[in-house]
Amino acid sequence: FSPNSIAVFDVQPVRDAFYNTLGISFDYFIPTHCNQFLNDIYESLQVTNTSLVLKRKRNIGKLIHYRYRNLLSQLEKHPNFISLDPDTAAHQVVKKCKAVISIPFTATALIAERMGKPSIYYDPSGLIQKDDRGAHGIKIVSGRKELEAWLDGLSKEP
């Protein structure tokens, strides 16, 4: 993939039955948030013809929520969407891309920052507070307008 690509790190939502067996009533990583996370980033990058390089957190097999799996299948048909094997080393992905967008609060945002790459957490829902301690100083971008403003700022960097 091109060095002009944006690396995207997700957490895949699991089927509802999995949460029910654990007795969990709410989790951030539901299809609504995760699908919007990917859709917003992909659509925002299309304006600049920049590739999205998705590195999934892990291969969860049949536990993956069908709505997320369907979205991935649709996106994988597009030339500017690159889905990597979950076993690919995050460091290698970060090194090859110009910037990183992570779903809150994965360690990949910190890895990217330490490697000198622009890095944010993207929260499409607006549920996460901008000053959440879980961000460890990484900027939290909420909603599509803020995402596009951040991406626009990247294109102006030398």
Side-chain angles (χ1 to χ4, degrees), residues 92-146:
Q92 294 303 315
V93 178
V94 171
K95 187 169 26 173
K96 292 179 182 179
C97 290
K98 76 174 183 178
V100 171
I101 302 173
S102 303
I103 200 162
F105 288 111
T106 54
T108 51
L110 296 166
I111 292 168
E113 184 181 58
R114 287 188 189 115
M115 293 176 72
K117 301 283 182 155
S119 177
I120 60 167
Y121 287 116
Y122 178 54
D123 170 30
S125 70
L127 291 172
I128 296 176
Q129 298 295 315
K130 298 278 190 184
D131 61 351
D132 192 301
R133 290 181 7 189
H136 297 282
I138 302 289
K139 182 177 182 169
I140 298 171
V141 172
S142 300
R144 183 113 174 236
K145 280 186 180 180
E146 285 185 25

Side-chain angles (χ1 to χ4, degrees), residues 7-158:
V8 174
F9 294 89
D10 75 346
V11 171
Q12 299 166 90
V14 297
R15 294 180 304 161
D16 297 336
F18 178 76
Y19 289 116
N20 294 341
T21 62
L22 297 176
I24 297 173
S25 61
F26 175 78
D27 185 65
Y28 181 82
F29 304 110
I30 59 173
T32 302
H33 298 155
C34 295
N35 284 17
Q36 189 176 1
F37 172 82
L38 275 186
N39 268 327
D40 285 0
I41 296 168
Y42 180 76
E43 290 172 8
S44 297
L45 289 175
Q46 292 318 290
V47 177
T48 59
N49 201 30
T50 303
S51 292
L52 184 161
V53 178
L54 176 65
K55 162 61 172 80
R56 291 173 288 141
K57 187 169 178 109
R58 66 181 51 92
N59 186 351
I60 61 172
K62 292 181 179 182
L63 281 179
I64 190 170
H65 197 285
Y66 73 92
R67 286 178 33 211
Y68 194 73
R69 184 185 62 237
N70 292 346
L71 175 63
L72 287 175
S73 294
Q74 290 302 311
L75 290 173
E76 287 170 347
K77 295 175 184 174
H78 298 278
N80 282 346
F81 184 87
I82 301 159
S83 182
L84 301 176
D85 185 299
D87 292 331
T88 305
H91 286 85
Q92 294 303 315
V93 178
V94 171
K95 187 169 26 173
K96 292 179 182 179
C97 290
K98 76 174 183 178
V100 171
I101 302 173
S102 303
I103 200 162
F105 288 111
T106 54
T108 51
L110 296 166
I111 292 168
E113 184 181 58
R114 287 188 189 115
M115 293 176 72
K117 301 283 182 155
S119 177
I120 60 167
Y121 287 116
Y122 178 54
D123 170 30
S125 70
L127 291 172
I128 296 176
Q129 298 295 315
K130 298 278 190 184
D131 61 351
D132 192 301
R133 290 181 7 189
H136 297 282
I138 302 289
K139 182 177 182 169
I140 298 171
V141 172
S142 300
R144 183 113 174 236
K145 280 186 180 180
E146 285 185 25
L147 174 64
E148 289 176 357
W150 184 79
L151 290 168
D152 189 47
L154 279 181
S155 65
K156 292 181 171 97
E157 289 182 9

